[in-house]
Amino acid sequence: MSASAVVIVGAGFAGAATAYHLAGTAKGRFKVIVVEREDLPGKHSSGRNAGLILQVVPEAALYRLIADGAAFARSLPGRADWPVPTRFDRNGVLLIGEKEGVVDLERRAGWARNAGIPTEWWTREQVEERVPAIAGSPFDRALFCPDEGVVDISSFLDGYLRAARASGADIRLRCELVGMETAGRRVKAVVVREPGGTESAIPAAVVVNAAGAWASQVGAMAGALPLPLKPTRRHLFSTAPADFVDSRWPFVWDVSRGWYMRPESGGLLLGPCDQDEYQPSIPDTDPGVEDLLAEKLAGCAPRLLDMPIISRWAGLRTLLPDGHFVIGRDPRVRNFIWVAGLGGHGVTASWAVGRLAAGIIMQEDSGAGHPYPAVDPARFAKRGVTA
Ligand SMILES: Cc1cc2nc3c(=O)[nH]c(=O)nc-3n(C[C@H](O)[C@H](O)[C@H](O)COP(=O)(O)OP(=O)(O)OC[C@H]3O[C@@H](n4cnc5c(N)ncnc54)[C@H](O)[C@@H]3O)c2cc1C
């Protein structure tokens, strides 16, 4: 690779973790530049999520990335090589399910066992003793995952960016990618707009698309393969503090009815697991979704309905039809690397996502197979792009 720049578009978890790994290994070979449109990183999905580090997810093919990412997140408190004190509350996750939900839990437990991730089946008595707020809730089985927990997302994201900067990365805020100069199957330069409206071109050896909900737009600027990325909105609600909430409660996720909760600042963070397609933006909140949450709670944990909701917000999860990520070289534009479609796992998997992306960038484009085929963007070139 020539001694030019790798330009990463976006300073959310995808871009920040890629910059962290790349700046650490690329010293002297090329410059790492991160361009972020906002005045602060984490204004979009990376600062608007639930902070859950969950390995026992339905997408078994993502397991290695998710487990490696989760192991790093768990190790953050007290890491000597991490630049910001970062909290990880290892309270575990309790997945509850009824009817088909039980099949889902059994499938997750099966592959978690094969992968060596600890899980325990809990009885109703165990559940109700540990989390009295869901006593009487209709579930048939309960799977407890003791290694899971909640990370402080603000210091986690900040840590990646500080470490990347300490290794020489240039992180440019209020710097928007507005175009690309291409020649043949390569991007030659990115065009950015800075405060005041000045536009300039940055010559680029490689461009990394870590633009979250905007990844399709950035891909189109490069002439890359169109991918079926779908930004979807999800709401979160936080309640006033209440005496009965115990900060040691696990994250509880009802996979059948689709809602979750965890302790937050003496109250609860509640999510109704809504998912509707939405344009790239900071999404509005929909009062109908608060009603949906109330309906779900009425059937499962009516006591929680008495807790006043004191704040509400929504963020975007960008999904692909197979539920996997896209990390790797674009099949058409060979120096354009996708790190997108992280869906609902972008915090958990970030460390491993960044490591995989950095490894691909450091490798010559030899045409050798993808190191992790389940996330190869080329899978959409083979099967055709379907929404
Ligand atoms: C409600 C909710 C709950 C979630 N809960 C969890 C959870 O508990 N655990 C978990 O692991 N994951 C969770 N997620 C998912 C996680 O938040 C995302 O997967 C992750 O944040 C995606 O990171 P990203 O860097 O791809 O995107 P983003 O954070 O959106 O970052 C993309 C960045 O690119 C920038 N950008 C875009 N276009 C341009 C441009 N042209 N020029 C310059 N900059 C540009 C944007 O400004 C943005 O900052 C949740 C998501 C939501 C919405």
Side-chain angles (χ1 to χ4, degrees):
M1 192 178 301
S2 64
S4 168
V6 173
V7 179
I8 300 174
V9 185
F13 276 104
T18 304
Y20 164 83
H21 285 281
L22 202 55
T25 50
K27 280 189 185 140
R29 285 188 61 192
F30 51 84
K31 196 166 173 49
V32 176
I33 302 175
V34 180
V35 299
E36 166 57 57
R37 182 172 44 207
E38 303 289 356
D39 55 351
L40 283 173
K43 277 211 166 163
H44 297 284
S45 310
S46 296
R48 308 175 74 79
N49 61 73
L52 174 64
I53 299 297
L54 175 66
Q55 302 168 90
V56 186
V57 297
E59 299 87 1
L62 296 180
Y63 146 69
R64 197 62 268 162
L65 291 174
I66 285 186
D68 289 353
F72 183 77
R74 268 198 303 275
S75 76
L76 286 172
R79 264 192 99 93
D81 61 352
W82 190 248
V84 201
T86 302
R87 190 169 164 169
F88 178 80
D89 293 328
R90 197 174 184 152
N91 288 1
V93 169
L94 180 63
L95 301 169
I96 57 176
E98 193 188 22
K99 298 180 186 141
E100 291 92 67
V102 172
V103 178
D104 174 17
L105 296 189
E106 283 170 350
R107 202 176 40 239
R108 295 193 205 202
W111 76 254
R113 192 169 48 247
N114 293 337
I117 298 172
T119 56
E120 302 161 17
W121 290 108
W122 275 9
T123 61
R124 176 167 287 278
E125 291 67 37
Q126 282 173 296
V127 169
E128 296 189 349
E129 192 198 323
R130 184 74 182 271
V131 195
I134 55 167
S137 184
F139 64 87
D140 296 324
R141 297 207 79 181
L143 185 69
F144 182 63
C145 315
D147 274 0
E148 325 292 65
V150 173
V151 71
D152 178 64
I153 50 171
S154 159
S155 45
F156 192 13
L157 183 62
D158 188 34
Y160 281 130
L161 293 169
R162 279 178 193 245
R165 205 177 274 123
S167 298
D170 176 4
I171 310 223
R172 302 187 188 175
L173 302 177
R174 296 200 290 159
C175 181
E176 178 178 12
L177 174 89
V178 291
M180 287 191 220
E181 294 170 8
T182 58
R185 282 158 61 94
R186 298 188 71 78
V187 180
K188 293 287 180 199
V190 298
V191 181
V192 294
R193 187 182 299 137
E194 295 189 73
T198 322
E199 287 190 10
S200 57
I202 307 172
V206 174
V207 176
V208 178
N209 181 0
W214 291 266
S216 286
Q217 296 174 6
V218 170
M221 288 183 203
L225 181 74
L227 298 182
L229 287 157
K230 189 160 83 171
T232 62
R233 178 174 64 170
R234 177 158 287 185
H235 289 68
L236 289 173
F237 299 88
S238 70
T239 74
D243 289 346
F244 68 88
V245 174
D246 182 340
S247 63
R248 293 162 305 172
W249 281 351
F251 195 111
V252 177
W253 195 321
D254 180 337
V255 301
S256 294
R257 282 172 180 73
W259 68 278
Y260 56 62
M261 67 167 208
R262 69 162 166 83
E264 167 74 30
S265 309
L268 291 174
L269 183 79
L270 293 162
C273 298
D274 54 309
Q275 181 170 304
D276 60 334
E277 197 165 351
Y278 211 83
Q279 74 278 7
S281 57
I282 291 186
D284 288 337
T285 53
D286 173 358
V289 176
E290 199 163 328
D291 297 340
L292 173 73
L293 175 68
E295 241 173 69
K296 291 182 178 187
L297 294 181
C300 302
R303 187 174 185 189
L304 306 186
L305 289 171
D306 297 335
M307 299 177 79
I309 289 183
I310 55 171
S311 67
R312 47 190 68 70
W313 66 95
L316 297 178
R317 300 176 319 130
T318 300
L319 305 171
L320 286 145
D322 58 9
H324 299 171
F325 312 149
V326 276
I327 305 168
R329 277 181 205 285
D330 183 76
R332 292 185 184 165
V333 184
R334 300 302 294 168
N335 64 339
F336 184 79
I337 312 287
W338 293 86
V339 188
L342 303 188
H345 310 304
V347 182
T348 307
S350 56
W351 183 85
V353 163
R355 183 182 57 172
L356 177 62
I360 291 169
I361 294 162
M362 296 296 292
Q363 251 175 20
E364 289 302 313
D365 179 16
S366 61
H370 193 286
Y372 204 114
V375 299
D376 187 352
R379 70 192 188 275
F380 295 106
K382 286 177 200 141
R383 70 168 78 139
V385 177
T386 48

